Each structure stands twice: as C-alpha cells, then as structure tokens.
Amino acid sequence: MSLIVASALLLCTPHVVRAQAGLDLREYKTKNYTIHSDCDPAVVEQAARHMEGVNAEYSRRMRSFPVKNRNPVNVYLLNGRQRYLELLASKGINGAGSGGMFFISGSEQALVVYFSEQEGYQRLWDVMEHEGFHQFARQRLGFNLPTWLNEGIAEYFERGDVHQGEFRTGYADPDEVEYLRRQVREDRMIPLETLLTLDGRVWNAAVAAGGAFDNYLQSWATVQFFVHAEDGRYQPYFLEFIRQIARGVDTQDAFRQAFKTDNLGLVESRIHKYLERDLRQGWPSR
C-alpha cells in the first residue's frame, strides 16, 4: 500500500472553524480522517498521507474483524506543544507529560498530536502510529482491549516505518532486544499471567510514576512473538484471542480458548526462548 498519495487526498478546501481553546483551526477531510489543524497545509498533507498509509496497514492486519464504524474519525494536529496542551485543557484533560493521545470525553473521541519543527517528523509519526491504533481499535472496530494488549499492538505499529513507499511492521530495536535478553537471563521478566491480567489503573499509576518501561516493552515483545515467531505460527491463535476479547470474554478464558491451553508457563517459556535465541534484530524475515 503506497504512501505516495495524490494531492487529491485532501478532498475539500479547508475552512476555518473555532475550537474550544479559542484556536483557529482549519478542517481537512481525507478518506478516513477529519483533521483539525493550525499547522502549515504542507505539514497537514504530510501527516494525512502518512496516516492514510498507516490506516491501510491497521486495516490489513485486522481485516478479519468486522468494521463497526466507517465514518471519518477526528484528529487534532496542533502547531507546537503549547497549543496542544491548550486544546487538551479546553476539553478538561491535563496533557502534562504526554506527547499525544487518543482521548474519550463524553460523546467526543479524537486523536490529538502536535508538530514541532525542532522535534521533526519522526516523533510525530511515532506518536500518530501508536495513538492512531488506539483510535482505530476503539472507533473503527469497537474494541475495548486489555491495557497490555492495546499498548502492545500500538507499540508494534509505532516501530513501523516507510520502506519503498510502503508502511512495514515488525521492527525490533537491537538495544531493546539486548535488554529483554538480560531480563530473561536474570529472571526479571514480568510473569505472563501477571501481564495478561494487569489492571489498567495499575498500569496508569506506573506511567504516572515513570515506571512503565518494562510494561510497554514486554507487551510489545509478547505481540511480536505472537505475530512473527516460528514463521507466524501463532498468528491465527492470536487473532482468535483478540476476537474472543472483543466478544467480552475474560482475558484468561479467551487465552485458554484461543490457544487451546491453560498452561501459561509453557507459553511463557516459548516467549522467553524466542527472545533469547530467535528474535531477529531489525526487520523480520516475514
């Protein structure tokens, strides 16, 4: 799926609307997004092209799930961090410490990000890929995923990149791989049963305290295993697990039904073996 999208991607002439924060925002419409922005139109078009390409990869990866809402979803793209914080504050959200978020407030749901010339496009892409999955899962598919799964898949997409005009996924950072291998050797990994049942409030408390690095990294590593280990052997089971979760099945029951086992220790040992020996640094072979 090419990211070289024609300039006709922006389907209508932008018009100025006033946001709650008193910011003059232009509105742009694409196939999947309504973008509200005070950024230079060239920045908006770059962001629109990128997100449409990423959305295509979300859709490809999740194609076995029915789409519950095909309407364009809202994105606020602000010019600089200060305006980002002001927009969030106008919606009653404290954005301190964040660099972008998908929020739900009353009847409104939207992705909010900012562009800074000093920080560049790569930071914007990473945030949009990660938070954009949260938006896709909730607004497109109607999912209410467990925190570890929601964040693990979002981390998976965040590590994606554009290669030869296509958005590819599955990248494993060498430093993170080495860190995970040390964690396995030193028996410092979060037990799989603990990760699967980790309460969202506990997760958020760890984020607020600056101690959630291992939560995010192990959630990503678990998703990476289910998608890529043994040439994708576990992908069908993983998709069935997500399907069971989407139906409202308890996490542990969903795992048991999808993977045909309640032996979490066995699955955990396979994940650890994969991290120690088989996880390919850089891009996967498939």
Side-chain angles (χ1 to χ4, degrees):
M1 70 260 120
S2 175
L3 296 189
I4 310 303
V5 183
S7 58
L9 175 72
L10 301 183
L11 301 179
C12 68
T13 303
H15 62 277
V16 177
V17 296
R18 186 164 299 274
Q20 292 90 325
L23 300 172
D24 289 327
L25 304 180
R26 292 177 174 84
E27 184 178 280
Y28 303 79
K29 291 188 180 293
T30 75
K31 178 182 177 181
N32 291 289
Y33 297 96
T34 299
I35 303 174
H36 312 270
S37 182
D38 59 350
C39 290
D40 186 283
V43 172
V44 179
E45 185 156 354
Q46 288 259 41
R49 289 179 175 181
H50 191 82
M51 281 308 296
E52 284 292 341
V54 175
N55 187 281
E57 182 65 6
Y58 296 153
S59 298
R60 186 183 76 83
R61 288 284 183 181
M62 311 300 282
R63 63 186 178 275
S64 63
F65 299 98
V67 175
K68 296 184 178 180
N69 175 15
R70 296 187 181 277
N71 296 324
V73 294
N74 284 314
V75 175
Y76 289 92
L77 171 58
L78 285 307
N79 185 16
R81 180 170 175 77
Q82 184 56 42
R83 293 190 177 189
Y84 161 82
L85 294 173
E86 290 172 3
L87 190 282
L88 287 175
S90 74
K91 300 178 182 299
I93 300 170
N94 181 359
S98 70
M101 68 173 66
F102 168 61
F103 76 84
I104 301 173
S105 179
S107 61
E108 185 175 13
Q109 303 181 41
L111 172 64
V112 188
V113 293
Y114 71 88
F115 174 73
S116 162
E117 289 190 7
Q118 183 177 6
E119 297 179 40
Y121 279 104
Q122 189 58 57
R123 188 209 68 85
L124 177 62
W125 298 161
D126 290 346
V127 173
M128 294 184 84
E129 290 155 11
H130 182 112
E131 300 298 333
F133 175 75
H134 295 324
Q135 182 177 49
F136 181 89
R138 185 61 181 262
Q139 293 194 263
R140 277 281 183 267
L141 305 179
F143 287 176
N144 188 16
L145 300 175
T147 304
W148 79 268
L149 183 59
N150 205 353
E151 296 297 345
I153 299 175
E155 289 283 309
Y156 178 83
F157 282 111
E158 180 181 334
R159 287 163 172 75
D161 202 358
V162 178
H163 178 68
Q164 296 181 351
E166 293 187 349
F167 186 77
R168 58 179 178 172
T169 54
Y171 183 77
D173 180 84
D175 290 337
E176 292 179 341
V177 172
E178 288 305 316
Y179 176 84
L180 285 165
R181 287 174 176 167
R182 287 197 304 272
Q183 294 292 89
V184 172
R185 290 195 299 267
E186 297 170 9
D187 195 25
R188 295 170 62 88
M189 296 286 284
I190 301 170
L192 181 60
E193 183 175 7
T194 301
L195 187 67
L196 292 181
T197 58
L198 196 59
D199 184 86
R201 291 169 296 182
V202 175
W203 184 292
N204 292 334
V207 171
F213 176 78
D214 284 345
N215 294 358
Y216 282 99
L217 189 59
Q218 282 192 226
S219 295
W220 162 77
T222 303
V223 170
Q224 185 85 356
F225 168 81
F226 287 139
V227 174
H228 294 286
E230 300 181 42
D231 293 324
R233 171 186 173 185
Y234 301 102
Q235 280 189 34
Y237 307 105
F238 184 48
L239 290 172
E240 179 59 25
F241 172 64
I242 298 173
R243 189 171 291 108
Q244 294 288 342
I245 290 289
R247 292 172 181 160
V249 178
D250 172 80
T251 298
Q252 289 182 306
D253 288 340
F255 193 92
R256 186 180 304 110
Q257 292 177 34
F259 289 93
K260 312 301 181 186
T261 182
D262 57 4
N263 190 345
L264 291 179
L266 174 62
V267 178
E268 181 177 86
S269 68
R270 290 182 179 178
I271 294 173
H272 290 182
K273 178 184 176 183
Y274 172 72
L275 296 177
E276 282 192 287
R277 303 179 188 177
D278 302 326
L279 175 55
R280 176 174 173 160
Q281 298 182 9
W283 296 101
S285 57
R286 59 161 290 164

Coordinates of all heavy atoms in Angstrom, one line a residue, residues 146-178:
P146 N -7.8 -5.2 26.7 CA -7.0 -5.1 27.9 C -5.8 -4.1 27.7 O -5.3 -4.1 26.5 CB -6.5 -6.5 28.1 CG -7.4 -7.4 27.4 CD -7.9 -6.5 26.2
T147 N -5.4 -3.5 28.7 CA -4.3 -2.4 28.5 C -3.0 -3.0 27.9 O -2.5 -2.4 27.0 CB -4.0 -1.8 29.9 OG1 -5.2 -1.3 30.5 CG2 -3.0 -0.7 29.7
W148 N -2.6 -4.2 28.4 CA -1.3 -4.7 27.8 C -1.4 -5.0 26.3 O -0.5 -4.7 25.6 CB -0.9 -6.0 28.6 CG -1.7 -7.2 28.1 CD1 -2.8 -7.7 28.7 CD2 -1.3 -8.1 27.0 NE1 -3.2 -8.8 28.0 CE2 -2.3 -9.1 27.0 CE3 -0.3 -8.1 26.1 CZ2 -2.3 -10.1 26.0 CZ3 -0.3 -9.1 25.1 CH2 -1.3 -10.1 25.1
L149 N -2.6 -5.5 25.9 CA -2.8 -5.8 24.5 C -2.9 -4.6 23.7 O -2.3 -4.5 22.6 CB -4.0 -6.7 24.4 CG -4.4 -7.2 23.0 CD1 -3.2 -8.1 22.4 CD2 -5.7 -8.1 23.0
N150 N -3.7 -3.6 24.1 CA -3.9 -2.3 23.4 C -2.5 -1.7 23.2 O -2.2 -1.2 22.2 CB -4.8 -1.5 24.2 CG -5.6 -0.4 23.3 OD1 -5.3 -0.3 22.2 ND2 -6.5 0.3 23.9
E151 N -1.8 -1.6 24.3 CA -0.5 -0.9 24.3 C 0.6 -1.7 23.5 O 1.4 -1.2 22.8 CB 0.1 -0.6 25.7 CG -0.8 0.3 26.5 CD -0.9 1.7 25.9 OE1 0.0 2.0 25.0 OE2 -1.7 2.5 26.3
G152 N 0.5 -3.1 23.6 CA 1.5 -3.9 22.9 C 1.3 -3.8 21.4 O 2.3 -3.7 20.7
I153 N 0.1 -3.8 20.9 CA -0.2 -3.7 19.5 C 0.2 -2.2 19.0 O 0.8 -2.1 17.9 CB -1.6 -4.0 19.1 CG1 -1.9 -5.5 19.5 CG2 -1.9 -3.8 17.6 CD1 -3.4 -5.9 19.3
A154 N -0.2 -1.2 19.8 CA 0.2 0.1 19.5 C 1.7 0.3 19.4 O 2.2 1.0 18.5 CB -0.4 1.1 20.5
E155 N 2.5 -0.3 20.3 CA 3.9 -0.3 20.3 C 4.4 -1.0 19.0 O 5.4 -0.6 18.4 CB 4.5 -0.9 21.5 CG 4.3 -0.2 22.8 CD 5.3 1.0 22.9 OE1 6.5 0.7 22.7 OE2 4.9 2.1 23.2
Y156 N 3.8 -2.1 18.6 CA 4.1 -2.8 17.4 C 4.1 -1.9 16.2 O 5.0 -1.8 15.4 CB 3.2 -4.0 17.3 CG 3.5 -4.8 16.0 CD1 4.5 -5.8 16.0 CD2 2.7 -4.7 14.9 CE1 4.7 -6.6 14.9 CE2 2.9 -5.4 13.8 CZ 3.9 -6.4 13.8 OH 4.1 -7.1 12.6
F157 N 2.9 -1.1 16.1 CA 2.8 -0.2 15.0 C 3.7 1.0 15.1 O 4.2 1.5 14.0 CB 1.3 0.2 14.8 CG 0.4 -0.8 14.2 CD1 -0.5 -1.4 15.0 CD2 0.6 -1.2 12.9 CE1 -1.4 -2.4 14.4 CE2 -0.2 -2.1 12.3 CZ -1.2 -2.7 13.1
E158 N 4.0 1.4 16.3 CA 4.9 2.6 16.5 C 6.3 2.3 15.9 O 6.9 3.2 15.4 CB 5.0 3.0 17.9 CG 5.9 4.1 18.2 CD 6.0 4.5 19.7 OE1 5.0 4.2 20.4 OE2 7.0 5.0 20.1
R159 N 6.7 1.1 16.0 CA 8.0 0.7 15.5 C 8.0 0.5 14.0 O 9.1 0.2 13.4 CB 8.5 -0.6 16.2 CG 8.9 -0.4 17.6 CD 8.9 -1.7 18.4 NE 9.5 -1.5 19.7 CZ 8.9 -1.0 20.8 NH1 7.6 -0.5 20.6 NH2 9.5 -0.8 21.9
G160 N 6.9 0.7 13.3 CA 6.9 0.6 11.9 C 7.5 1.7 11.2 O 7.9 2.7 11.8
D161 N 7.7 1.6 9.9 CA 8.4 2.6 9.1 C 8.1 2.5 7.6 O 7.5 1.5 7.2 CB 10.0 2.5 9.3 CG 10.7 3.8 9.0 OD1 10.0 4.8 8.6 OD2 11.9 3.8 9.1
V162 N 8.3 3.5 6.9 CA 8.1 3.5 5.5 C 9.3 3.0 4.7 O 10.4 3.4 5.0 CB 7.8 5.0 5.0 CG1 7.5 4.9 3.4 CG2 6.6 5.5 5.7
H163 N 9.1 2.0 3.9 CA 10.2 1.4 3.1 C 9.7 1.2 1.7 O 8.7 0.5 1.4 CB 10.6 0.1 3.7 CG 11.7 -0.6 2.9 ND1 13.0 -0.1 2.8 CD2 11.6 -1.8 2.2 CE1 13.7 -0.9 2.1 NE2 12.9 -2.0 1.7
Q164 N 10.3 1.9 0.7 CA 10.0 1.8 -0.7 C 8.5 2.0 -0.9 O 7.8 1.3 -1.6 CB 10.4 0.4 -1.2 CG 11.9 0.1 -1.2 CD 12.2 -1.2 -1.8 OE1 11.4 -2.1 -2.0 NE2 13.5 -1.5 -2.0
G165 N 8.0 3.1 -0.2 CA 6.6 3.5 -0.4 C 5.6 2.8 0.3 O 4.4 3.0 0.2
E166 N 6.0 1.8 1.2 CA 5.0 1.0 1.9 C 5.4 1.1 3.4 O 6.5 1.3 3.8 CB 5.0 -0.5 1.5 CG 4.5 -0.7 0.1 CD 4.4 -2.2 -0.2 OE1 4.9 -3.0 0.6 OE2 3.8 -2.5 -1.2
F167 N 4.3 1.0 4.2 CA 4.5 1.0 5.7 C 4.7 -0.4 6.1 O 3.8 -1.3 5.9 CB 3.2 1.6 6.4 CG 3.4 1.8 7.9 CD1 4.2 2.8 8.4 CD2 2.8 0.9 8.7 CE1 4.4 2.9 9.8 CE2 3.0 1.0 10.1 CZ 3.8 2.0 10.6
R168 N 5.8 -0.7 6.7 CA 6.1 -2.1 7.1 C 6.2 -2.2 8.7 O 6.5 -1.2 9.3 CB 7.4 -2.6 6.5 CG 8.6 -1.7 6.8 CD 9.9 -2.3 6.2 NE 11.0 -1.4 6.5 CZ 12.3 -1.7 6.2 NH1 12.6 -2.8 5.7 NH2 13.3 -0.9 6.5
T169 N 6.0 -3.3 9.2 CA 5.9 -3.5 10.6 C 6.8 -4.7 11.0 O 7.3 -5.5 10.2 CB 4.5 -3.8 11.1 OG1 4.0 -4.9 10.4 CG2 3.6 -2.6 10.9
G170 N 7.1 -4.8 12.4 CA 7.8 -5.9 12.9 C 9.2 -5.6 13.3 O 10.0 -6.5 13.7
Y171 N 9.6 -4.3 13.3 CA 11.0 -3.9 13.7 C 11.3 -4.2 15.1 O 10.5 -4.0 16.0 CB 11.2 -2.4 13.4 CG 12.6 -1.9 13.7 CD1 13.6 -2.2 12.8 CD2 12.9 -1.2 14.8 CE1 14.9 -1.8 13.0 CE2 14.2 -0.8 15.1 CZ 15.2 -1.1 14.2 OH 16.5 -0.7 14.4
A172 N 12.5 -4.7 15.4 CA 13.0 -5.0 16.8 C 14.3 -4.2 17.0 O 15.3 -4.5 16.4 CB 13.2 -6.5 17.0
D173 N 14.2 -3.2 17.8 CA 15.4 -2.4 18.1 C 16.5 -3.2 18.8 O 16.2 -3.9 19.8 CB 15.0 -1.2 19.0 CG 16.1 -0.3 19.4 OD1 16.4 0.6 18.6 OD2 16.7 -0.5 20.4
P174 N 17.7 -3.2 18.3 CA 18.8 -4.0 18.9 C 19.0 -3.8 20.4 O 19.2 -4.7 21.1 CB 20.0 -3.6 18.0 CG 19.4 -3.2 16.7 CD 18.1 -2.5 17.1
D175 N 19.0 -2.5 20.8 CA 19.2 -2.2 22.2 C 18.0 -2.8 23.1 O 18.3 -3.3 24.2 CB 19.3 -0.7 22.4 CG 20.5 -0.1 21.9 OD1 21.5 -0.9 21.7 OD2 20.6 1.1 21.6
E176 N 16.8 -2.7 22.6 CA 15.7 -3.3 23.3 C 15.8 -4.8 23.4 O 15.4 -5.5 24.4 CB 14.4 -2.8 22.7 CG 14.1 -1.4 22.9 CD 12.8 -0.9 22.3 OE1 12.3 -1.6 21.4 OE2 12.4 0.2 22.7
V177 N 16.2 -5.4 22.3 CA 16.4 -6.9 22.2 C 17.4 -7.3 23.3 O 17.2 -8.3 24.0 CB 16.8 -7.4 20.8 CG1 17.1 -8.9 20.9 CG2 15.6 -7.1 19.8
E178 N 18.5 -6.6 23.3 CA 19.6 -7.0 24.3 C 19.0 -6.8 25.7 O 19.3 -7.6 26.6 CB 20.8 -6.1 24.1 CG 21.6 -6.5 22.8 CD 21.9 -8.0 22.8 OE1 22.4 -8.5 23.9 OE2 21.8 -8.7 21.8

